[in-house]
Amino acid sequence: QQQVKQSPQSLIVQKGGISIINCAYENTAFDYFPWYQQFPGKGPALLIAIRPDVSEKKEGRFTISFNKSAKQFSLHIMDSQPGDSATYFCAASRGSSNTGKLIFGQGTTLQVKP
Amino acid sequence: KAGVTQTPRYLIKTRGQQVTLSCSPISGHRSVSWYQQTPGQGLQFLFEYFSETQRNKGNFPGRFSGRQFSNSRSEMNVSTLELGDSALYLCASSTWDTSGEQFFGPGTRLTVL
């Protein structure tokens, strides 16, 4: 029940295309769902996050779609750029229980071809 | 504001030794969490400290321990190192208000020979 399943494992997209990464969870107690971006040799950087009271959140070219009934959420990167090439992790936590424990998906390596 | 800093950035140890890693959170952040990142297991939660108290612990053996100081700086210690402990150890800090946002440091790359 603690798992977060992420797919695909790797993704190749042409410049200007849309990158879509999906995650699914089982624990209905999760109430905070962030996405992190990690470049080689760096720590993960918080990209965007959502709570289950909204179905979508957009920040620039990045959008999270959240489906509470299906227990799924996804990251959409519009107009993908070569600089977006990185590893993306979804995560989940029980923020309302005052804990910093993030459960991460396995990661998606995104390559954006020029 | 300066970000999360971790020292050292790289470390090479041999089996059986012990190691201490350090993390300085963002100024004003009182919560520090530690994660282990490996190619096989991904990012796994080790433990979290808030106001010098361990608030949460992941499924790691007792060889992994940590502590937090009054200035919110944190250390983690791994005793009796095993080859499988080779990993990137990441520290994340947060204010732990209702936002839940955690900010990661660059990590310490530990290699056990």
Side-chain angles (χ1 to χ4, degrees):
Chain A
Q1 265 212 327
Q2 286 293 313
Q3 282 189 321
V4 176
K5 294 182 180 179
Q6 183 172 345
S7 62
Q9 188 173 356
S10 63
L11 184 60
I12 299 175
V13 172
Q14 290 294 128
K15 179 182 175 182
I18 302 173
S19 304
I20 301 174
I21 305 170
N22 301 298
C23 283
Y25 64 98
E26 295 188 357
N27 189 344
T28 55
F30 288 147
D31 59 3
Y32 175 68
F33 303 91
W35 284 90
Y36 283 84
Q37 178 190 57
Q38 186 176 28
F39 293 104
K42 305 285 187 182
L46 180 63
L47 203 55
I48 186 172
I50 198 167
R51 297 189 185 276
D53 52 345
V54 297
S55 60
E56 186 174 282
K57 183 175 181 179
K58 183 177 181 179
E59 289 184 2
R61 296 185 294 110
F62 300 92
T63 300
I64 299 180
S65 297
F66 185 83
N67 186 329
K68 188 174 181 178
S69 60
K71 293 184 284 186
Q72 295 175 345
F73 58 110
S74 60
L75 176 69
H76 295 231
I77 306 175
M78 313 299 287
D79 187 27
S80 298
Q81 299 296 313
D84 297 330
S85 298
T87 300
Y88 293 81
F89 294 94
C90 64
S93 74
R94 297 176 56 191
S96 58
S97 68
N98 212 25
T99 173
K101 180 179 179 179
L102 285 168
I103 308 298
F104 282 90
Q106 285 297 98
T108 297
T109 301
L110 171 64
Q111 182 184 359
V112 181
K113 290 193 168 183
Chain B
K1 266 187 181 178
V4 177
T5 58
Q6 292 187 245
T7 56
R9 291 294 312 279
Y10 302 92
L11 208 48
I12 299 175
K13 292 284 187 180
T14 56
R15 279 186 305 171
Q17 288 187 307
Q18 76 165 24
V19 67
T20 300
L21 312 180
S22 181
C23 171
S24 292
I26 293 170
S27 177
H29 286 194
R30 296 169 62 193
S31 172
V32 172
S33 297
W34 288 88
Y35 294 83
Q36 182 195 64
Q37 185 174 25
T38 59
Q41 298 299 315
L43 279 151
Q44 292 187 289
F45 174 80
L46 279 156
F47 28 64
E48 179 202 3
Y49 287 87
F50 180 81
S51 293
E52 303 179 64
T53 302
Q54 188 180 85
R55 187 158 66 176
N56 217 331
K57 191 177 190 306
N59 295 323
F60 280 82
R63 300 185 296 108
F64 292 81
S65 63
R67 60 178 175 168
Q68 187 179 33
F69 302 96
S70 58
N71 61 358
S72 295
R73 191 177 68 85
S74 178
E75 289 181 346
M76 67 163 282
N77 183 276
V78 187
S79 62
T80 320
L81 283 166
E82 300 178 0
L83 295 178
D85 296 334
S86 294
L88 181 67
Y89 289 89
L90 293 157
C91 166
S93 79
S94 70
T95 58
W96 215 255
D97 54 12
T98 56
S99 71
E101 294 180 340
Q102 292 189 47
F103 300 89
F104 282 83
T108 294
R109 173 72 62 186
L110 172 65
T111 301
V112 182
L113 302 176

